[in-house]
Amino acid sequence: MPERGEALRHNWEEKGYVHIRKAVPLFYVLRFEAWRQAESQPLTGSLNHHQYIWDIRSMPRIYSAFADILNTPAIWAEFCSTEATDILGLLSVNTGGSSINIHDGEQNIALEASLADLIIMDQRRLRITGYTDTHWLPLGYIPAQENNHALIRQREQQYLEGHRAPAVLSELGQQLLGRHQWGTEKQ
């Protein structure tokens, strides 16, 4: 891991969360938030695969943070109900900033985030005790299972479900979906 990854990993292990400032360029967050307000529906089903969400999921800083925390470069974006993870990322999408309260078993911790900040927390160690969900875009990633072809097909089907035109994915996006291999597992 590079030095930045080592610092991130140290904070993760010590506190159970990391706060990454300006994880995404503001343009992408503002574009997403304008679309979400116009859509006014929960981000489920095909809405979870909108172009703007995949653009954010595929941001190098977000990918790198989750890859460092999961301790593997081969990860997938988590979006299937069978892929629940204990690691939760929350991207602040509120122009006035966002706040979240977490409890570590001993104390309450109030975290403030500016627009485009990412907070990643270990839900096995920390419990969310208060936040406004409309101020955050939840993001999750899991270690890739490149030899699980049934799961890859399921992910592909969920990605294509209900779309007239699926999101255009970068190479990183293709890997995060599971369409392209990371090259870290034997075939």
Side-chain angles (χ1 to χ4, degrees):
M1 262 184 245
E3 187 174 317
R4 184 174 49 196
E6 289 175 11
L8 184 138
R9 187 87 182 146
H10 174 75
N11 283 337
W12 174 258
E13 290 170 358
E14 182 179 308
K15 298 178 183 176
Y17 72 90
V18 294
H19 185 163
I20 301 163
R21 301 203 183 278
K22 302 294 179 227
V24 175
L26 291 178
F27 165 79
Y28 292 96
V29 178
L30 293 171
R31 181 180 67 165
F32 163 78
E33 187 55 16
W35 167 78
R36 181 168 80 166
Q37 287 179 4
E39 198 61 40
S40 70
Q41 294 180 36
L43 298 176
T44 59
S46 64
L47 290 180
N48 201 22
H49 297 292
H50 190 276
Q51 181 71 53
Y52 299 163
I53 296 173
W54 274 102
D55 288 347
I56 290 171
R57 279 183 180 133
S58 302
M59 286 288 147
R61 288 193 71 203
I62 290 179
Y63 159 75
S64 294
F66 277 94
D68 286 343
I69 287 168
L70 291 167
N71 204 26
T72 178
I75 62 175
W76 286 346
E78 179 258 318
F79 57 81
C80 294
S81 58
T82 57
E83 299 172 346
T85 178
D86 291 322
I87 299 171
L88 173 65
L90 294 171
L91 181 71
S92 174
V93 295
N94 187 32
T95 55
S98 307
S99 63
I100 187 168
N101 296 316
I102 56 177
H103 186 73
D104 69 359
E106 296 176 13
Q107 64 180 342
N108 285 315
I109 303 165
L111 300 174
E112 300 291 326
S114 298
L115 182 65
D117 285 4
L118 176 67
I119 295 175
I120 306 173
M121 68 188 75
D122 183 345
Q123 296 186 102
R124 293 167 297 196
R125 294 176 52 191
L126 304 171
R127 185 172 47 88
I128 298 173
T129 58
Y131 82 113
T132 305
D133 62 351
T134 58
H135 291 187
W136 302 92
L137 171 62
L139 298 168
Y141 296 80
I142 58 172
Q145 301 174 39
E146 294 181 321
N147 292 325
N148 187 338
H149 300 291
L151 181 56
I152 292 170
R153 282 191 299 279
Q154 177 188 0
R155 291 172 60 81
E156 177 79 15
Q157 287 171 349
Q158 285 191 3
Y159 168 73
L160 294 172
E161 202 171 84
H163 284 287
R164 287 185 304 225
V168 177
L169 301 178
S170 64
E171 178 61 26
L172 178 57
Q174 298 279 352
Q175 291 169 309
L176 292 171
L177 177 61
R179 279 184 170 170
H180 292 183
Q181 297 284 311
W182 287 99
T184 59
E185 291 185 21
K186 295 179 183 176
Q187 295 301 310

